[in-house]
Amino acid sequence: MRALNSKEVNSLRLYPDPECTSLKEKMTRYYGVLPENIYLAPGSDDVLNFAFSAFCDSTTPAFFPDITYGFYKVFAELYGIKYTEIPLREDFSICPGDYYGIGGTIFIANPNAPTGLALSLDEIESILINNRDNVVVIDEAYVDFGGQSALALIDKYDNLLVVRTFSKSRSLAGARLGYAFADKKLISDLDLLKYSTNPYNISRLTLAAGEAAICDNDYFESMRQKVISTRERIYNSLCALGFDVIPSKTNFLFAKNNRIDGGKLYAELKKRGVLVRHFNGERTGAYVRITIGDDNEMDILIQKIEEILEETK
Ligand code: PMP
C-alpha cells in the first residue's frame, strides 16, 4: 500500500514503461537471471495465452494432462489447435515417460491443479531431454508452496518456458501480474506478440506493486509459511474426519470423503456460506478442492464440514 502512493497515482497520466525495466531489474537480482530471460504480463493466463498462440499451430499440436488447469483446453480450442489430453496415473500423478518425444508443445502445471501433486526437477528434466525439438511450458503458478522450480534449467534447455505469477504466493491476484523465464529466443517470441498487440499492458500501479512485493522478502516468506502451515493443519483435520486427502504442494487441498459425494459437499458448504470447488468428471467428481484461507476461515470450514457429516450419518 505504501508503494501505491499519491506520487504513483499522480503519474497515471503517463503511459507505463512497456519494457518494465525497473521491475525486471529487481527480478534479475532476486532470481539471478538476465532481463532478456524475463517476460512480464498482466497475469500468467496472459503468458499462457501467448504461449499457445506462439508455440502451437496446425502442424504443432498441444499436449497436457487430462486433469489439469482448465484454461489449457480453452486456449487450444480458441486457436483451433489440435490437442491431446494425456491421462494421469491412477494416483493422479503425471507419468513423465508419457511425454517423451511427443512432437508438439507440452503444457504441464507443476505442481498440478487441482491435484496439488508435483513432479521432481529430475522428472521435469527428463521431459526436456526427450523433447529437444518441442517447446515445454512448465506452469509454476503454485511452486512457492512446496514444488521444485525448473528456473535453473533455462540456461541448459532453450525449449523450456517457465511460467509464474504474483497471484498466489505474493497475494496480488487483483493486480494482474504474471511472468515467464526462458531462453531469450522464446522470450522474444512472446515480446513480439505483446508489442504487436498491447505494449503498455501492465499498468503503473501494478508495476509499483510488483516491485514492492519483490523487495519485501520477509513479508513474502512469512505469508508463504503461514499458508503452508495452515495447509498441513487442515490436511490433518480432514484426515481425522475420514477424508482421503492428496498431500499437497500448493495452496489448496484436493480431498474426498466416502460418506459424501464431492458435488453434494460443495452444495452443502455453499448453503452455509463456504465456497470450495467441485470438478465434474469420472475421476474428479468425488473430490472437492479447498483453497487455504486464513486460520479463522479454515476453522469455519472444518466446523461446517463436521455439521454436514453429522447430518448425513
Ligand atoms: N496457472 C494455473 C495452474 C492456475 O491455477 C492459475 C490461476 N487460476 C493460473 C495459471 C493463472 O493465474 P493468473 O492469471 O492470476 O496469474
Side-chain angles (χ1 to χ4, degrees):
M1 277 192 273
R2 275 197 306 276
L4 305 182
N5 54 24
S6 56
K7 180 173 154 268
E8 210 54 52
V9 172
N10 196 38
S11 64
L12 286 178
R13 70 188 189 283
L14 303 171
Y15 277 102
D17 170 15
E19 289 171 24
C20 313
T21 316
S22 180
L23 174 56
K24 270 191 199 163
E25 244 168 45
K26 293 188 168 70
M27 292 176 72
T28 293
R29 262 179 274 140
Y30 188 87
Y31 290 111
V33 293
L34 296 171
E36 67 195 28
N37 300 122
I38 306 174
Y39 175 75
L40 281 153
S44 59
D45 278 340
D46 208 67
V47 184
L48 293 167
N49 175 15
F50 278 5
F52 272 88
S53 170
F55 308 129
C56 302
D57 60 22
S58 55
T59 57
T60 314
F63 294 87
F64 42 83
D66 63 341
I67 298 170
T68 190
Y69 184 39
F71 235 143
Y72 303 155
K73 198 166 158 174
V74 173
F75 287 131
E77 282 174 0
L78 172 70
Y79 291 116
I81 294 159
K82 285 211 181 82
Y83 62 91
T84 303
E85 295 170 282
I86 300 180
L88 296 180
R89 292 189 185 115
E90 200 52 40
D91 64 358
F92 285 128
S93 63
I94 289 170
C95 174
D98 289 349
Y99 293 81
Y100 294 173
I102 209 147
T105 303
I106 296 169
F107 293 83
I108 289 180
N110 193 45
N112 197 11
T115 64
L117 290 173
L119 288 174
S120 70
L121 201 52
D122 287 345
E123 288 172 310
I124 295 287
E125 187 162 13
S126 76
I127 294 172
L128 287 160
I129 291 172
N130 288 288
N131 283 288
R132 290 285 188 180
D133 297 328
N134 304 313
V135 175
V136 178
V137 179
I138 304 296
D139 177 351
E140 295 188 348
Y142 300 102
V143 76
D144 289 329
F145 300 110
Q148 281 181 292
S149 177
L151 168 58
L153 299 178
I154 62 163
D155 292 335
K156 225 164 139 188
Y157 300 95
D158 61 2
N159 56 331
L160 167 63
L161 185 80
V162 176
V163 181
R164 295 269 195 95
T165 181
F166 281 70
S167 293
K168 318 286 179 186
S169 59
R170 294 191 183 272
S171 316
L172 281 174
R176 309 308 300 131
L177 189 58
Y179 53 109
F181 298 120
D183 180 84
K184 66 177 184 210
K185 290 200 287 303
L186 291 189
I187 297 295
S188 61
D189 283 342
L190 299 175
D191 272 333
L192 181 64
L193 284 171
K194 163 179 158 145
Y195 288 115
S196 309
T197 52
N198 188 0
Y200 304 104
N201 60 358
I202 307 176
S203 80
R204 279 181 172 270
L205 294 181
T206 295
L207 288 171
E211 285 186 43
I214 288 288
C215 290
D216 195 346
N217 204 45
D218 291 346
Y219 181 76
F220 168 67
E221 278 303 332
S222 79
M223 295 310 281
R224 192 165 80 94
Q225 288 310 327
K226 243 188 202 169
V227 171
I228 291 171
S229 74
T230 306
R231 178 188 75 203
E232 294 311 301
R233 181 170 75 82
I234 298 305
Y235 174 91
N236 290 326
S237 307
L238 289 170
C239 290
L241 288 171
F243 279 82
D244 290 333
V245 195
I246 299 181
S248 170
K249 302 277 191 205
T250 62
N251 65 341
F252 51 77
L253 291 162
F254 201 47
K256 70 169 178 181
N257 190 315
N258 291 338
R259 282 166 55 195
I260 186 164
D261 172 68
K264 170 100 170 126
L265 180 57
Y266 160 81
E268 289 298 322
L269 282 169
K270 189 173 175 185
K271 261 195 234 162
R272 292 165 173 79
V274 177
L275 275 178
V276 295
R277 281 206 65 181
H278 176 250
F279 301 88
N280 280 323
E282 204 186 309
R283 294 174 70 193
T284 53
Y287 289 79
V288 291
R289 192 197 71 184
I290 301 167
T291 298
I292 304 301
D294 65 29
D295 279 313
N296 183 40
E297 288 169 324
M298 299 318 285
D299 289 343
I300 295 171
L301 168 95
I302 294 295
Q303 186 202 326
K304 301 289 179 197
I305 290 178
E306 280 169 348
E307 250 175 60
I308 294 163
L309 290 178
E310 192 60 33
E311 279 173 23
T312 51
K313 250 185 185 164

